[in-house]
Amino acid sequence: MKIAIGYELVFECPKPTPMILTLSVHYTRVSDMIIPDHMVADPPVPIRAYRDRFGNWCSRIVAPAGRLKLSTDALVNDTGLADVVVPEARQTPVEALPDDTLEFLLGSRYCETDLLSDTAWRLFEQTTPGWPRVQAICDLVHNHIRFGYEHADATKSAWSVWNDGIGVCRDYAHLAIAFCRCMNIPARYCTGYLGDIGMPPPYGPMDFAGWFEAYLDGEWYTFDARNNTPRIGRVLLARGRDAADVALSNAFGANELKNFLVRTDEVPDS
């Protein structure tokens, strides 16, 4: 299938403001791009790109004083298949984990393993290690948190959402990631496009989505504690330890986000 993706962000800045933007499709999907997701700035500004230490494609700009619109419209090929489910995937002992997975066992800005470790072991010690354990974590997190866009809070952490029981997709991911790490399963945060392809209506407002990947049996597998069901049409933007590593925008000065739109739709075959 083909999926049309895009965004429109409008910023208002009182003076020229440097920004880092993580809005480009991940390099693992570049070969799927039919129409590339080039960032368009209005008014035009120089855009310089680089890869961060996680391999994410980031853009550097200096937003001018006043209004700046950033947008893209792209088209991507997709298999049309739902997320892979491998119930037999085993948990790898810590001593056998590859070196590059180890940082995804550690606590991070939004995933406080030190505060949640005792709770995690109390809840999940009796679960079967491997895929069943990660799925048990997703089941609990899915049922524990009440979703609502009004609960979005850029400072909310896994510890906070565990205590509050409310949040948005990134909060589901952060809590599940923290519990996985507490149980010695490497887990990393993902952000990207995820539409309602294959899902029944009604449909909510479109936004970028947050999910996570867990390392089992030598592979990274997709899990989604918010939806807690295999989904079709994920288009990855970025991966990191948590949302702090993959923020859509980091501005180094005063700014206001005046408008925010995300598009992701299946394109019918002509």
Side-chain angles (χ1 to χ4, degrees), residues 202-233:
Y203 304 129
M206 193 53 59
D207 195 353
F208 288 113
W211 61 90
F212 75 102
E213 294 172 342
Y215 188 84
L216 298 170
D217 226 0
E219 300 285 345
W220 288 100
Y221 291 104
T222 295
F223 290 88
D224 185 342
R226 158 70 178 102
N227 294 293
N228 206 28
T229 188
R231 295 289 296 271
I232 298 169

Side-chain angles (χ1 to χ4, degrees), residues 111 137-148 151 156-158 161 165-179 189 210-212 223-228:
C111 301
I137 289 171
C138 289
D139 291 343
L140 184 141
V141 170
H142 178 78
N143 292 318
H144 179 75
I145 300 173
R146 177 165 52 88
F147 181 88
H151 306 313
K156 184 178 290 186
S157 67
V161 76
I166 54 176
V168 292
C169 58
R170 64 175 255 159
D171 301 310
Y172 288 78
H174 283 150
L175 184 56
I177 288 168
F179 279 150
Y189 186 90
W211 61 90
F212 75 102
F223 290 88
D224 185 342
R226 158 70 178 102
N227 294 293
N228 206 28

Side-chain angles (χ1 to χ4, degrees), residues 46-129:
I47 302 173
R48 183 161 66 88
Y50 72 97
R51 293 211 182 278
D52 68 12
R53 71 187 187 90
F54 298 104
N56 304 316
W57 193 243
C58 305
S59 300
R60 297 182 64 176
I61 66 169
V62 176
R67 180 183 179 277
L68 173 68
K69 181 174 77 171
L70 300 173
S71 63
T72 198
D73 284 292
L75 189 64
V76 60
N77 264 324
D78 193 80
T79 64
L81 301 176
D83 302 324
V84 173
V85 177
V86 187
E88 66 276 14
R90 299 165 297 177
Q91 184 166 335
T92 304
V94 173
E95 63 272 21
L97 286 168
D99 294 345
D100 60 1
T101 68
L102 295 178
E103 72 175 312
F104 299 107
L105 284 179
L106 307 178
S108 57
R109 164 69 179 85
Y110 292 108
C111 301
E112 307 101 323
T113 52
D114 54 342
L115 297 179
L116 287 163
S117 182
D118 288 345
T119 300
W121 280 95
R122 173 174 56 81
L123 291 170
F124 305 112
E125 185 174 12
Q126 301 306 314
T127 59
T128 302

Side-chain angles (χ1 to χ4, degrees), residues 3-21:
I3 303 174
I5 58 173
Y7 59 79
E8 182 179 298
L9 284 70
V10 178
F11 294 94
E12 190 81 31
C13 300
K15 61 182 181 180
T17 303
M19 290 184 174
I20 298 173
L21 304 152

